[in-house]
């Protein structure tokens, strides 16, 4: 029996989607996959339905580079409402605790340092973290008491941007992988002797994808309507856009044949990457593989087909 034909186009690349309010990340990927007519699609980092902004979506061969985007730094703008903590730590959940305390600017600025650097954070019960094979948010929606373990996260920067009124504060945060802004808001409110939850959240940057690179879903739909699925390809960044932090090694066509067969390739020259370094290999500008350098040889870990 022959291999079953995959549905859709073998299109590959990255789309930096400006995810609209009220849509889950999974729904956004589904819509994008349909508009591109793509065989395969996935996202690099969940955004809550009540959050907007940068949702990097990988199509085709780009799905093999998702971990490199997931590990990248992220910047968020978020608004906290003081006086009420909710089940979900955002405006979607039912209130679970209240407080009459409203923190001053001085008090807020005094605690920001407690939430920067490497800190321990207990993720929200309503999160995509898996508990014994099930998503925490599914268990929480079923009424189970979900208690997640604290884990280390990295917050590079946390700034108070604005205080529109005594009940509300606007922040900017730059953080690493696995950070929950909702949990920062919850814990910061508690540290200030009050309660709080996120009422607005926008992701402004993920790795190499910033605000300037974002494409609105309506614009993508308009492109699809005008010129069809193939016309949407103009909105894509190449697969290797995700690999900006890695060194590139340029190889010959015979080397490419070896790599595609899963074989290692000897690297020559004084500029060969250091032992143990993860790099990507290209042949005549085409991405061929990602791999590790060991004793002067490139060992492929992921090989690309027509990226």
């Amino acid at each position: 029996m022959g291999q079953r034909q995959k549905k859709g186009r073998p299109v590959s690349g990255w789309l930096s989607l400006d995810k609209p309010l009220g849509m889950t990340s999974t729904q956004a990927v589904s819509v994008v996959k349909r508009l591109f007519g793509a065989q395969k699609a996935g996202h690099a980092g969940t955004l809550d339905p009540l959050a907007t902004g940068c949702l990097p979506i990988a199509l085709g061969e780009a799905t093999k580079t998702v971990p490199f985007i997931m590990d990248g730094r992220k910047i968020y703008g978020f608004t906290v409402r003081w006086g009420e903590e909710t089940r979900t730590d955002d405006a979607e959940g039912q209130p679970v605790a209240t407080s009459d305390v409203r923190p001053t600017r001085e008090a807020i600025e005094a605690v920001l340092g407690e939430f920067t650097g490497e800190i321990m954070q207990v993720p929200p019960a309503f999160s995509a973290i898996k508990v014994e094979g099930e998503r925490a948010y599914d268990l929480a929606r079923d009424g189970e008491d979900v208690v997640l373990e604290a884990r280390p996260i990295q917050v590079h920067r946390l700034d108070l941007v604005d205080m529109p009124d005594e009940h509300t504060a606007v922040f900017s945060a730059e953080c690493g992988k696995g950070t929950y802004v909702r949990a920062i808001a919850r814990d910061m409110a508690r540290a200030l002797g009050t309660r709080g939850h996120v009422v607005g959240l926008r992701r402004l940057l993920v790795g190499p994808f910033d605000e300037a690179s974002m494409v609105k879903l309506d614009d993508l739909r308009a492109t699809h309507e005008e010129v069809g699925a193939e016309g949407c390809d103009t909105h894509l960044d190449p697969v290797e856009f995700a690999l900006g932090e890695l060194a590139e090694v340029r190889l010959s066509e015979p080397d490419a044949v070896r790599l595609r067969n899963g074989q290692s390739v000897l690297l020559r020259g004084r500029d060969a990457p250091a032992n143990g370094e993860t790099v990507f290999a290209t042949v005549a500008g085409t991405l061929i593989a990602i791999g590790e350098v060991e004793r002067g040889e490139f060992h492929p870990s992921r090989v690309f087909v027509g990226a």
Side-chain angles (χ1 to χ4, degrees), residues 78-149:
F78 64 103
T79 303
V80 179
R81 179 80 41 81
W82 308 118
E84 190 174 79
E85 188 172 309
T86 70
R87 267 191 92 206
T88 57
D89 298 317
D90 63 19
E92 203 171 35
Q94 295 295 314
V96 293
T98 59
S99 171
D100 293 329
V101 175
R102 298 295 180 270
T104 63
R105 176 180 290 273
E106 292 72 28
I108 294 169
E109 288 178 340
V111 303
L112 293 179
E114 296 176 29
F115 299 93
T116 54
E118 186 172 300
I119 62 172
M120 297 299 288
Q121 182 184 76
V122 176
F126 283 78
S127 63
I129 292 170
K130 286 195 173 180
V131 180
E132 294 179 359
E134 293 197 59
R135 299 287 185 190
Y137 55 64
D138 288 330
L139 297 173
R141 285 186 189 122
D142 289 341
E144 288 196 35
D145 189 19
V146 179
V147 181
L148 298 172
E149 301 247 339

Side-chain angles (χ1 to χ4, degrees), residues 2-304:
Q3 202 173 17
R4 195 166 61 177
Q5 192 72 26
K6 288 182 181 176
K7 287 184 179 177
R9 297 193 301 131
V11 56
S12 293
W14 278 98
L15 176 77
S16 177
L17 181 71
D18 188 346
K19 188 191 82 65
L21 191 69
M23 179 178 275
T24 68
S25 296
T26 302
Q27 287 169 338
V29 170
S30 180
V31 172
V32 167
K33 185 181 179 185
R34 181 176 52 77
L35 289 172
F36 277 90
Q39 289 178 352
K40 193 175 182 182
H43 66 74
T46 304
L47 264 186
D48 297 329
L50 293 186
T52 65
C54 187
L55 181 67
I57 295 179
L59 300 178
E61 293 292 281
T63 56
K64 296 175 181 176
T65 65
V66 163
F68 296 95
I69 297 297
M70 296 276 278
D71 289 343
R73 70 188 180 108
K74 299 168 182 68
I75 294 177
Y76 295 90
F78 64 103
T79 303
V80 179
R81 179 80 41 81
W82 308 118
E84 190 174 79
E85 188 172 309
T86 70
R87 267 191 92 206
T88 57
D89 298 317
D90 63 19
E92 203 171 35
Q94 295 295 314
V96 293
T98 59
S99 171
D100 293 329
V101 175
R102 298 295 180 270
T104 63
R105 176 180 290 273
E106 292 72 28
I108 294 169
E109 288 178 340
V111 303
L112 293 179
E114 296 176 29
F115 299 93
T116 54
E118 186 172 300
I119 62 172
M120 297 299 288
Q121 182 184 76
V122 176
F126 283 78
S127 63
I129 292 170
K130 286 195 173 180
V131 180
E132 294 179 359
E134 293 197 59
R135 299 287 185 190
Y137 55 64
D138 288 330
L139 297 173
R141 285 186 189 122
D142 289 341
E144 288 196 35
D145 189 19
V146 179
V147 181
L148 298 172
E149 301 247 339
R151 54 188 193 163
I153 60 158
Q154 191 76 39
V155 179
H156 304 290
R157 178 179 55 78
L158 179 62
D159 300 319
L160 175 62
V161 176
D162 192 18
M163 291 182 71
D165 54 58
E166 64 170 332
H167 308 289
T168 316
V170 181
F171 297 89
S172 172
E174 181 181 336
C175 47
K177 181 182 179 182
T179 303
Y180 283 88
V181 171
R182 286 178 289 143
I184 292 177
R186 175 200 67 205
D187 296 342
M188 189 163 41
R190 291 177 182 175
L192 288 161
T194 185
R195 299 297 176 128
H197 65 278
V198 169
V199 292
L201 175 61
R202 181 165 176 79
R203 191 155 65 190
L204 304 170
L205 178 142
V206 180
F209 301 105
D210 57 17
E211 276 207 284
S213 70
M214 288 189 224
V215 178
K216 292 188 181 298
L217 200 51
D218 284 346
D219 291 341
L220 198 61
R221 285 183 174 126
T223 300
H224 183 272
E225 213 169 283
E226 272 182 51
V227 288
E230 290 186 9
C232 293
D233 294 357
T234 57
H235 294 292
L236 292 178
D237 286 304
V239 174
E240 56 268 32
F241 195 66
L243 307 176
E245 298 293 311
L246 304 184
E248 177 186 358
V249 292
R250 296 181 175 90
L251 302 174
S252 66
E253 191 56 51
D255 288 335
V257 173
R258 288 183 61 83
L259 291 176
R260 289 191 176 113
N261 288 326
Q263 297 172 297
S264 63
V265 168
L266 187 64
L267 301 177
R268 299 170 185 85
R270 289 178 302 171
D271 298 329
N275 194 36
E277 191 174 347
T278 300
V279 301
F280 69 95
T282 59
V283 172
T286 299
L287 178 64
I288 301 296
I290 300 171
E292 287 69 44
V293 178
E294 291 177 23
R295 296 177 184 175
E297 281 192 314
F298 176 83
H299 295 264
S301 55
R302 296 165 194 255
V303 177
F304 297 86

